[in-house]
Amino acid sequence: MLCLRRIYAFALRRCQFRTLSSDTLLSQLNSCTTEDQVFDLVGKNKVKLSEKHVGSAISLLWKFQKEKSHLLRSIDNIKNHSQFLTLRILAENKIEFMDNDLLVDTLYNVLRFSVEAHDSLVEELVMEAWRRLERFSLPTLSKFAMCLNEQKIYSSPLTGKIADIVNMNLDSIQDIRVLSVLMISISGVISQSFQERLIQKAELLLETVNFIHFNHARRIVQFLRNVRLTYRPLLEKCNKVFLENHSKLDVDNISLILGLYQSLQFNNTEFRLVIKQKLTESIDDCNNTVSFTKLFAALGPMAGPEVRERLIATALLMAEEFNYHQALVVVETMEEMECRNSHLIQKIASLLDKYLNKYRPIDLVKITQALVLLHCQNAELYTKLRRLLVGYLKVNVVPSDISMLTRVLSMLPSSQVDEVVINRVDAVLPQCNLRDLNAFAKALVRWVRHDQSHQQSTSGPGAKLLQKLSNCGYQRLQKASDLDLLLEELRYISGEWFEEILVEETMNTCLRLMDQITWMNVLEFSSFLIKTNYRCTPLLDRIASVAVQHISQINPAGMYIILLPFTIMNYDPPQSEEFFETCIQHFSSNLGCFEPHLLVLLGYSLAIAEYFPPALINAIFNVDFLAKLDAQLETLPDTLNWRVRLRLMELNRAVCLECPEFQIPWFHERYCQQMQRKGNGSTNTAQQQIHRMLGEILGGRQYAKVSVLTPYYYGIDFECILDKNKKPLPYMDQSIVLADLVQWGPDIQLLGKKGLPLGAQRIAVEFLDSKTFCKNSCHVKGEFAMKKRHLEILGYQVVQIPHFEWNSMELSSKDAWMEYLKKNIFETK
């Protein structure tokens, strides 16, 4: 092949002339209807072909391929054809004669045939384009930028030069296709201010252009993903384009859009429902592995039980035909679906085993994680995966890759700390960011626990490395000077190592950088603070201050994230009423921009803080809204679905108890009964101690009831009844947990005294474990303060026993515990 190429190159360099028959030849090329006709014409007219002929021939070849379905395309056959090699050599020798458009078109079309970036033709075309860059029209520039992006040239000086040209000419761009392509291509080299200008320009064009192809909107969403910015106004405009074009979206585009939305944590109910219906209707048409795999990945995670069963049944039938890439896609989707079909799990595992040597390290990581989370039982496959992962770990030098491989190695069953891994991790620690350090720490904690020889030791290799990790974490935090960069590192951090070792130092660093909290990063900072469960009042005050001062610049949907740390941590900032009222006023006139589930979560969060905005409550407890919410919940992951349903019940309960004037009915009776049947009713050691001592204090166990269910289905640890003289009253039947619920009857609002002797009082005794409090505080969290409030409305006198008091040195004897209980039960007002 190389010899042939040299002969062609030598012969063709002697033929750099224009032929008189060029127009005729061009007409003949344009008359071709198949690739063979083009190649035949090229073969007969090598010495007559001008740069225009070469460009037209390559363009025609791609045109023919583009018109075919993906299954029928023959890219490799075209690329390896001898006459295509002729065209490549001709093109390389005629680059200087090509005009700007032809130059870029040739590069674009050549790349369509998977010609490598290091091929001399591609290199020469790129270099010539760089020389002419400032003479390109904006459409030509955007097409060239797309070519660079396909070659993964994201952050080169050439990309920077394109960004400069775009920056100078941004105001003149009126073609949204051109803008969207350029936005993606330069996203890795732009400043914050330039990013804002691009977003403003995209918003303007989306509002003013009459027709917008969905690909243009998709590229804009991709830009936001690239710069890691969930800018809701722009996302909502793009989503509108997708909805208007939903009939034109195929499975590929739907999968891509859903993936982008997921990475941006953006959700739109209307889009998901439309797409779900469209995909469900297309199940029967997906009768080959290519189309079915794409459908399975897009529809599986949001499908209902019946559709899921259909998808799983079809996957079982097609499993043997899946190639290595399709098997990977299916197992990742099964993980997302939390699939428990053991037959399909084993089939896919066997298929993955067969293809194991074809996968890249990142693929092996995905496979290992999926199989472990699917509870796959295949020791032999896990052994092979471990060997491959360790092999890649030994030769890798990128900290993020090493942390990824280490993390997934620790997930493998019966995994033990490996000296090779320890040494590899140790070698890269100084280069690691907090995210990498956290991944290493999680893995080491697992290994130390699995390794019995080091379980009680602080001198094992895993324990020593953990200490070194902690020191590196401290040093990185102490050197941090940019809050945005710090938040980027902290975004996905969680787990014991961070919570026990680094959280306090992290808070000190955030306090040092507190002035850098602005309206642009306040949502991300608030999300981070929620995750830490750390009650740092100066930081909370800063969030409140920024929110009040810049409320008009914060998207209304962001109010949930702004308010949540205050309600969860039960904290009122200075000028608390102004803060809450400002936030409520900001979202109240924009309730339509909220997803249904987010509106429920917002309502619950405000209820914790004793705020019940009428506009919000009436919007939620509305038949049309609840129907829309039900439809949305069918498309959400099971965990989020469960949480939203629970919060709706809790909000319904709060409104019934605290705001009877709204006349909202209690409609969660059946839901609560179902939840009650699923409960395990387990008690911890401290609760068992308290139960025994309550029996002694009150005069027998018949005077105290355990695990009581109240009206509106609050569960309390213990209940006793004291008469007007503070004497305990016995229960008639200790075996009937719901006796009082029945006794109180259906009309249960504010009836804590019903069925009791005159002057008697119900006492609720609650043991408050560590989950009831913030990480660093003895202040009860908001949801538990609300529970106390509601129990008091129901007629209870609530006695709360904090774990730090019950387990304190002061209460280290039975007599001390007994005296503590007597004081709290009998001496309360």
Side-chain angles (χ1 to χ4, degrees):
M1 184 67 76
L2 290 173
C3 291
L4 178 63
R5 182 168 188 149
R6 291 193 190 100
I7 294 167
Y8 279 167
F10 176 76
L12 294 169
R13 286 191 191 101
R14 301 181 61 180
C15 301
Q16 303 286 347
F17 58 85
R18 312 297 175 98
T19 65
L20 295 175
S21 59
S22 60
D23 291 340
T24 304
L25 192 52
L26 194 58
S27 299
Q28 289 176 324
L29 275 170
N30 290 332
S31 300
C32 293
T33 57
T34 66
E35 293 91 338
D36 288 339
Q37 290 177 1
V38 173
F39 285 141
D40 186 54
L41 204 56
V42 169
K44 292 177 181 178
N45 296 276
K46 293 185 185 72
V47 295
K48 298 179 183 179
L49 295 177
S50 69
E51 72 281 358
K52 289 183 180 178
H53 299 141
V54 173
S56 295
I58 296 173
S59 180
L60 271 173
L61 291 171
W62 170 238
K63 176 177 175 288
F64 296 147
Q65 291 295 307
K66 189 167 59 172
E67 291 169 351
K68 301 175 183 177
S69 69
H70 285 281
L71 286 174
L72 297 177
R73 288 181 184 177
S74 51
I75 297 294
D76 287 341
N77 291 340
I78 300 298
K79 177 185 173 183
N80 296 324
H81 197 286
S82 60
Q83 297 306 330
F84 189 73
L85 175 60
T86 299
L87 287 171
R88 286 164 59 183
I89 296 168
L90 283 166
E92 188 172 345
N93 284 280
K94 296 177 183 294
I95 286 176
E96 61 185 291
F97 301 114
M98 295 179 181
D99 62 31
N100 295 341
D101 289 344
L102 181 58
L103 180 76
V104 174
D105 285 344
T106 302
L107 175 62
Y108 176 84
N109 291 324
V110 164
L111 291 174
R112 304 282 76 74
F113 290 101
S114 303
V115 176
E116 295 80 3
H118 60 265
D119 183 88
S120 60
L121 171 59
V122 175
E123 290 178 345
E124 289 296 329
L125 288 167
V126 170
M127 290 304 297
E128 182 62 25
W130 193 344
R131 295 185 193 102
R132 305 185 193 182
L133 207 55
E134 294 183 352
R135 289 177 282 166
F136 283 172
S137 66
L138 287 170
T140 302
L141 184 69
S142 72
K143 196 167 191 177
F144 177 58
M146 183 192 298
C147 294
L148 296 180
N149 198 61
E150 288 173 1
Q151 297 175 71
K152 297 182 172 53
I153 303 175
Y154 303 131
S155 305
S156 72
L158 176 53
T159 312
K161 181 62 178 175
I162 293 173
D164 285 339
I165 295 171
V166 176
N167 192 26
M168 290 186 291
N169 295 276
L170 185 58
D171 293 339
S172 65
I173 299 177
Q174 299 303 320
D175 187 333
I176 194 165
R177 177 191 164 281
V178 169
L179 178 67
S180 64
V181 171
L182 289 169
M183 287 174 73
I184 288 180
S185 303
I186 64 176
S187 58
V189 295
I190 57 176
S191 65
Q192 182 76 34
S193 59
F194 189 15
Q195 175 182 305
E196 292 170 16
R197 289 183 62 217
L198 287 169
I199 289 172
Q200 290 170 3
K201 185 68 177 182
E203 282 191 281
L204 177 64
L205 292 183
L206 284 170
E207 290 169 355
T208 56
V209 174
N210 291 329
F211 172 76
I212 301 171
H213 194 278
F214 65 83
N215 271 333
H216 308 337
R218 188 259 305 159
R219 281 191 287 264
I220 291 171
V221 177
Q222 194 170 337
F223 166 80
L224 291 174
R225 193 276 312 271
N226 289 356
V227 298
R228 300 178 182 180
L229 178 66
T230 305
Y231 184 64
R232 296 190 67 89
L234 186 54
L235 283 168
E236 285 160 4
K237 289 180 175 67
C238 291
N239 190 76
K240 183 180 177 183
V241 174
F242 299 144
L243 286 170
E244 291 169 352
N245 291 273
H246 76 270
S247 60
K248 301 173 185 175
L249 295 174
D250 59 17
V251 178
D252 282 335
N253 284 300
I254 290 170
S255 298
L256 188 53
I257 292 166
L258 289 174
L260 292 170
Y261 277 4
Q262 185 176 20
S263 63
L264 288 167
Q265 297 182 323
F266 175 78
N267 183 53
N268 181 270
T269 300
E270 188 178 359
F271 177 74
R272 289 179 72 89
L273 290 174
V274 167
I275 291 309
K276 180 182 176 183
Q277 180 65 29
K278 181 181 175 71
L279 293 173
T280 302
E281 291 171 356
S282 67
I283 291 177
D284 293 335
D285 298 328
C286 295
N287 49 19
N288 59 73
T289 57
V290 174
S291 59
F292 174 75
T293 304
K294 293 172 182 176
L295 176 75
F296 187 80
L299 181 58
M302 59 178 168
E306 291 183 9
V307 175
R308 281 193 180 197
E309 287 305 313
R310 285 179 64 191
L311 291 171
I312 289 170
T314 307
L316 279 166
L317 292 173
M318 289 190 177
E320 299 298 333
E321 302 171 37
F322 291 148
N323 63 27
Y324 76 96
H325 175 69
Q326 291 160 356
L328 174 61
V329 171
V330 169
V331 79
E332 284 188 277
T333 308
M334 288 168 62
E335 177 196 351
E336 194 175 350
M337 294 166 60
E338 299 180 2
C339 175
R340 291 294 176 260
N341 187 296
S342 58
H343 191 192
L344 182 58
I345 292 170
Q346 289 304 321
K347 257 196 170 182
I348 296 299
S350 298
L351 208 56
L352 293 168
D353 193 353
K354 172 183 170 184
Y355 294 131
L356 215 51
N357 291 325
K358 293 189 176 185
Y359 292 115
R360 303 168 299 163
I362 182 64
D363 298 330
L364 294 174
V365 166
K366 293 174 181 178
I367 289 167
T368 305
Q369 178 173 296
L371 292 176
V372 170
L373 295 179
L374 290 170
H375 307 296
C376 174
Q377 305 298 316
N378 192 324
E380 185 180 348
L381 177 55
Y382 286 137
T383 301
K384 291 179 182 179
L385 283 167
R386 178 179 175 78
R387 186 179 67 251
L388 288 169
L389 291 167
V390 170
Y392 283 120
L393 185 67
K394 288 178 180 177
V395 298
N396 205 305
V397 294
V398 180
S400 58
D401 291 348
I402 294 172
S403 70
M404 174 184 67
L405 291 165
T406 304
R407 175 183 61 82
V408 82
L409 274 168
S410 70
M411 296 175 68
L412 289 168
S414 304
S415 180
Q416 293 184 340
V417 66
D418 191 305
E419 187 178 349
V420 172
V421 178
I422 292 289
N423 293 338
R424 204 77 200 88
V425 171
D426 195 10
V428 297
L429 280 187
Q431 306 168 49
C432 292
N433 59 31
L434 292 170
R435 184 171 56 250
D436 297 330
L437 293 174
N438 187 65
F440 289 140
K442 282 184 174 180
L444 288 168
V445 167
R446 286 196 193 103
W447 275 321
V448 168
R449 285 178 177 167
H450 288 159
D451 191 342
Q452 296 299 315
S453 63
H454 295 137
Q455 195 172 35
Q456 305 299 327
S457 170
T458 58
S459 60
K464 287 180 179 177
L465 191 55
L466 269 174
Q467 183 57 52
K468 191 171 180 180
L469 273 171
S470 301
N471 293 336
C472 289
Y474 281 124
Q475 291 170 16
R476 191 159 185 89
L477 285 168
Q478 289 162 2
K479 292 177 182 177
S481 59
D482 187 308
L483 183 62
D484 290 328
L485 294 177
L486 179 62
L487 288 174
E488 178 67 27
E489 291 190 28
L490 294 170
R491 183 175 294 170
Y492 302 110
I493 284 187
S494 62
E496 295 174 54
W497 177 72
F498 175 73
E499 293 170 7
E500 301 296 334
I501 305 298
L502 279 195
V503 69
E504 191 169 339
E505 186 63 32
T506 303
M507 289 300 126
N508 291 335
T509 302
C510 291
L511 284 168
R512 178 165 53 83
L513 305 176
M514 188 168 62
D515 291 342
Q516 295 181 33
I517 301 175
T518 67
W519 70 269
M520 296 186 70
N521 61 19
V522 69
L523 292 178
E524 185 166 5
F525 186 79
S526 184
S527 296
F528 162 70
L529 209 57
I530 294 164
K531 186 172 61 175
T532 65
N533 191 32
Y534 196 96
R535 195 172 189 264
C536 183
T537 55
L539 292 175
L540 289 165
D541 292 343
R542 175 66 180 176
I543 291 173
S545 174
V546 169
V548 171
Q549 291 175 26
H550 302 280
I551 194 70
S552 62
Q553 295 169 289
I554 302 173
N555 189 275
M559 290 302 99
Y560 170 63
I561 297 299
I562 293 289
L563 291 165
L564 195 56
F566 297 90
T567 59
I568 285 179
M569 300 182 192
N570 196 16
Y571 175 68
D572 290 331
Q575 292 81 47
S576 172
E577 188 172 344
E578 179 191 5
F579 167 63
F580 276 95
E581 291 298 337
T582 300
C583 292
I584 290 170
Q585 185 179 358
H586 186 51
F587 72 69
S588 292
S589 56
N590 295 279
L591 293 178
C593 75
F594 283 80
E595 287 297 297
H597 77 288
L598 193 58
L599 215 56
V600 170
L601 296 176
L602 175 63
Y604 169 74
S605 178
L606 285 167
I608 291 175
E610 298 183 77
Y611 283 91
F612 298 88
L616 177 61
I617 299 302
N618 291 326
I620 292 173
F621 294 103
N622 172 286
V623 174
D624 292 337
F625 172 85
L626 292 174
K628 187 177 179 182
L629 176 65
D630 275 338
Q632 185 206 17
L633 290 177
E634 291 179 4
T635 71
L636 297 180
D638 291 343
T639 304
L640 181 56
N641 184 324
W642 177 86
R643 185 161 69 95
V644 173
R645 292 186 188 280
L646 177 65
R647 295 304 183 226
L648 179 63
M649 180 277 288
E650 292 172 325
L651 177 59
N652 186 199
R653 177 170 61 194
V655 173
C656 289
L657 286 172
E658 299 193 58
C659 300
E661 67 273 15
F662 281 119
Q663 297 186 333
I664 302 296
W666 168 246
F667 55 90
H668 278 88
E669 189 78 17
R670 183 179 299 175
Y671 169 85
C672 289
Q673 289 172 358
Q674 291 171 348
M675 292 292 290
Q676 181 63 23
R677 284 194 289 270
K678 292 177 183 177
N680 54 28
S682 60
T683 58
N684 59 37
T685 304
Q687 289 170 317
Q688 292 168 5
Q689 279 183 323
I690 293 169
H691 184 217
R692 288 194 299 270
M693 292 180 190
L694 280 175
E696 294 183 41
I697 292 168
L698 298 172
R701 291 197 177 189
Q702 72 271 23
Y703 291 96
K705 187 179 288 188
V706 186
S707 301
V708 177
L709 199 63
T710 75
Y712 292 104
Y713 291 86
Y714 267 123
I716 54 178
D717 296 334
F718 311 99
E719 181 191 276
C720 60
I721 302 172
L722 303 182
D723 66 13
K724 62 182 178 180
N725 298 314
K726 298 285 186 180
K727 299 294 183 182
L729 297 175
Y731 288 94
M732 297 301 295
D733 187 352
Q734 283 290 304
S735 64
I736 303 177
V737 175
L738 296 179
D740 273 2
L741 183 59
V742 177
Q743 176 189 340
W744 289 23
D747 186 20
I748 55 179
Q749 280 81 357
L750 315 180
L751 295 181
K753 304 290 184 181
K754 186 170 181 178
L756 296 180
L758 185 65
Q761 174 69 60
R762 293 180 188 275
I763 308 293
V765 181
E766 286 274 89
F767 178 75
L768 307 182
D769 61 18
S770 60
K771 294 178 182 178
T772 315
F773 304 92
C774 295
K775 191 81 180 168
N776 60 320
S777 171
C778 297
H779 198 68
V780 175
K781 289 163 75 171
E783 62 178 302
F784 299 98
M786 180 172 71
K787 180 179 179 180
K788 182 175 186 289
R789 197 165 71 232
H790 289 174
L791 290 175
E792 288 171 345
I793 292 172
L794 287 169
Y796 279 98
Q797 181 175 302
V798 183
V799 175
Q800 294 182 325
I801 304 175
H803 70 97
F804 49 82
E805 289 185 5
W806 186 257
N807 297 321
S808 66
M809 292 295 293
E810 188 178 350
L811 302 182
S812 57
S813 66
K814 181 178 178 180
D815 290 342
W817 281 322
M818 297 279 282
E819 187 61 32
Y820 176 85
L821 287 174
K822 287 178 184 177
K823 180 180 178 181
N824 279 278
I825 292 172
F826 294 111
E827 296 181 16
T828 51
K829 294 181 181 180

